[in-house]
Amino acid sequence: MSDWIDGEVVSNIHWHENLFSLKIAADIGAFRAGQFTSLALEIEGERIARPYSFLSSPGQQPLEFFFYVATDGVLSNALVALKEGDKVLVKKPANGFFTLDEVPQSRDLWMLATGTGVAPYFSILGCDEVWQRFENVVLVQGVRTAMDLRYQDLVEQYQREHPQAFHFQAFVSREDYPGSIRGRIPETIKNQELENHVGLPLSPEHSQIMLCGNPAMVKDCVTLLKDRGFAKNLRRKPGHITTEKYW
Ligand SMILES: NC(=O)c1ccc[n+]([C@@H]2O[C@H](COP(=O)([O-])OP(=O)(O)OC[C@H]3O[C@@H](n4cnc5c(N)ncnc54)[C@H](OP(=O)(O)O)[C@@H]3O)[C@@H](O)[C@H]2O)c1
């Protein structure tokens, strides 16, 4: 049985005009890193709800979520206006299967995202399990402009804490930005530019790959990875690719 509980906004961080994060105090109980819950507001007498992945890790309070303001998104346009102390409804318990429980053992874990699809990976990176299970943990985030690259303090923290294991690669598609690859993720899976940049080969033998974000990016990556011998993870038949339906 799921239930709506009251959450209280602790802070609303406006990164730029249409990118923001909410920190929300709410006792939603235990969850697994990579899961999501739903947030809701009463708007003109109607409860509008939508699922959002946790960016914060299990056990952390307040909970944290990362949002893009969708042009026609009624809820995201209301959420961006929330202030400290405002109420927001949070669904309890959490839900979803985009967790390490669904990822078979392997040497390397690749976590590929576009935009705010990076959120569940930060939740996973904040837990010991990922560092205990994988020799290499690669976070890849594709964004339109460098302004959309956020949480770089966390990236630097994991680089300091796990200098051998942790790799980060940014893609910025619409401008040149130091250290990033200019373009989109899928084409660099095809031409092997991604693995050359990271310095780690992608192979079904050694790599598990998680994909989250723009549905077209996820679809294109799955197609290209299948061409290279990777298969989707199914409960009855473990493979190498785990995907999240992000929107
Ligand atoms: N409903 C939701 O939950 C949700 C969540 C996040 C974002 N969005 C929507 O997405 C829009 C922009 O957000 P955003 O900037 O984070 O997302 P985006 O348009 O998905 O762009 C993020 C990155 O993904 C790239 N990309 C786009 N299509 C791709 C594809 N088929 N294969 C590989 N890469 C691809 C973009 O490259 P290019 O610059 O070349 O396009 C960009 O580098 C907003 O309008 C927002 O409403 C919706």
Side-chain angles (χ1 to χ4, degrees), residues 50 68 70 114-116 142-144 173-174 184 186 214 216-217 247:
R50 225 196 136 272
Y68 199 98
T114 57
T116 53
V143 293
R144 292 182 182 186
S173 52
R174 302 193 183 188
R184 290 179 165 192
N214 189 306
M217 178 281 290
W247 81 78

Side-chain angles (χ1 to χ4, degrees), residues 84-166:
E84 186 184 335
D86 284 347
K87 298 281 182 257
V88 55
L89 292 164
V90 186
K91 198 171 244 184
K92 180 179 180 173
N95 217 322
F97 298 98
F98 195 61
T99 70
L100 289 186
D101 296 337
E102 304 298 318
V103 178
Q105 194 47 45
S106 181
R107 190 190 66 190
D108 307 331
L109 177 66
W110 292 73
M111 304 189 294
L112 275 46
T114 57
T116 53
V118 75
Y121 299 140
F122 281 118
S123 186
I124 289 170
L125 289 169
C127 298
D128 292 340
E129 182 182 351
V130 73
W131 307 107
Q132 289 162 355
R133 280 187 53 190
F134 299 96
E135 201 175 307
N136 292 291
V137 177
V138 188
L139 177 64
V140 177
Q141 185 187 11
V143 293
R144 292 182 182 186
T145 65
M147 272 204 322
D148 298 331
L149 272 185
R150 297 293 160 177
Y151 294 98
Q152 291 301 295
D153 54 333
L154 286 180
V155 167
E156 285 161 20
Q157 177 192 323
Y158 295 124
Q159 279 167 337
R160 276 195 310 277
E161 290 177 0
H162 306 279
Q164 302 301 322
F166 185 58

